[in-house]
């Protein structure tokens, strides 16, 4: 039986407090890339009570995704946007979710993120990461962006950190490891980095910005 919105809201308020709940419900966060980082970020933010999520990815769920991404074997072949939306609504049925099954280019940035206050960069490719971060900082300087760099292999968990780069730009990860250098992407370490990104977003919304 699915709880009512009032019941679910009351349970969240009991855990996080009325002030944080109100701020989280009003927030709109875009997640750019819905792989190991993005799918985990989305679930963490939905569970925290973020009221509006904007999911963006052009890819479909592949069998190789199942070791670290929040999809099910039954969702193979679905667009990641639709599969993740389906999973999120099973967890938090009253979250407002907007999807765009597109590949983001620099030209998309001003219009695509017009309704979002915080963006999470969760791409796999370094060039796309740089394109999004630089594009947002240049074209939408009033918005926050939380990006990731370095989460590969079985290196120590404590090497994953969050750094405040500028007033509106945060970077999570160890900033050195790469898939080519180690055994690849392992779910536990990818989830650590995703948790750092999600937590940075929550701190920004709550007014307790991540440490420099």
């Amino acid at each position: 039986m699915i709880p009512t919105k009032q019941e679910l809201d009351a349970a969240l308020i009991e855990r996080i407090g009325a002030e944080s709940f109100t701020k989280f419900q009003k927030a709109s966060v875009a997640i750019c890339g819905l792989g190991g980082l993005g799918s985990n970020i989305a679930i963490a933010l939905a569970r925290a009570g973020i009221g509006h999520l904007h999911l963006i990815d052009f890819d479909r769920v592949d069998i190789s995704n199942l070791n670290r991404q929040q999809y099910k074997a039954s969702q193979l072949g679905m667009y990641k946007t639709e599969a993740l939306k389906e999973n999120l609504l099973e967890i938090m049925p009253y979250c407002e979710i907007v999807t765009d099954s597109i590949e983001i280019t620099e030209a998309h940035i001003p219009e695509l993120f017009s309704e979002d206050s915080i963006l999470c960069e969760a791409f796999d490719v370094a060039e796309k990461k740089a394109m999004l971060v630089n594009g947002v900082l240049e074209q939408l300087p009033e918005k926050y962006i939380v990006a990731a760099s370095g989460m590969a292999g079985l290196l120590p968990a404590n090497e994953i950190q969050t750094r405040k780069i500028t007033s509106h730009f945060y970077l999570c990860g160890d900033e050195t490891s790469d898939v080519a250098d180690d055994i690849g992407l392992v779910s536990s370490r990818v989830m650590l980095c995703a948790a750092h990104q999600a937590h940075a977003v929550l701190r920004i919304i709550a007014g307790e910005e991540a440490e420099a």
Side-chain angles (χ1 to χ4, degrees):
M1 180 177 175
I2 297 174
T4 66
K5 188 176 189 308
Q6 290 74 21
E7 290 171 332
L8 203 49
D9 289 353
L12 275 170
I13 290 169
E14 184 178 356
R15 291 296 180 184
I16 65 176
E19 183 178 354
S20 292
F21 173 79
T22 299
K23 289 178 178 179
F24 292 170
Q25 282 285 286
K26 291 179 179 178
S28 180
V29 181
I31 303 170
C32 308
L34 303 178
L37 286 173
S39 61
N40 281 290
I41 292 168
I43 284 180
L45 294 179
R47 289 191 186 279
I50 296 299
H52 311 272
L53 291 174
H54 185 183
L55 309 179
I56 310 163
D57 199 308
F58 67 94
D59 207 359
R60 295 177 183 266
V61 180
D62 181 79
I63 194 169
S64 65
N65 303 150
L66 299 181
N67 82 310
R68 67 194 184 282
Q69 302 181 19
Q70 294 297 327
Y71 302 106
K72 297 175 271 189
S74 61
Q75 294 176 318
L76 293 177
M78 291 178 65
Y79 277 110
K80 288 183 177 180
T81 48
E82 296 308 312
L84 188 56
K85 179 178 180 179
E86 180 179 279
N87 295 342
L88 291 171
L89 290 177
E90 288 183 8
I91 297 167
M92 286 292 177
Y94 308 107
C95 182
E96 181 180 296
I97 301 173
V98 174
T99 63
D100 280 298
S101 299
I102 61 169
E103 183 171 7
I104 300 171
T105 68
E106 195 168 354
H108 287 128
I109 289 173
E111 184 176 358
L112 187 62
F113 303 115
S114 61
E115 301 299 318
D116 307 308
S117 56
I118 304 176
L119 288 69
C120 288
E121 176 280 308
F123 292 145
D124 296 330
V125 180
E127 291 78 11
K128 290 184 179 180
K129 288 175 175 286
M131 177 274 295
L132 183 62
V133 170
N134 293 333
V136 170
L137 293 176
E138 291 170 5
Q139 299 183 56
L140 300 171
E142 76 284 2
K143 297 186 186 290
Y144 288 90
I145 182 160
V146 180
S149 176
M151 69 218 71
L154 290 170
L155 295 170
N158 288 342
E159 291 184 8
I160 303 287
Q161 298 185 27
T162 299
R163 282 204 304 134
K164 185 176 182 180
I165 307 299
T166 70
S167 63
H168 283 60
F169 173 31
Y170 296 79
L171 187 62
C172 304
D174 62 35
E175 299 183 42
T176 58
S177 68
D178 186 77
V179 175
D181 299 330
D182 208 280
I183 64 170
L185 294 170
V186 179
S187 61
S188 53
R189 206 157 191 266
V190 172
M191 288 174 71
L192 280 167
C193 190
H196 268 260
Q197 287 186 267
H199 196 61
V201 169
L202 296 178
R203 284 176 59 81
I204 290 167
I205 296 167
E208 300 180 9
E209 298 181 16
E211 297 297 327

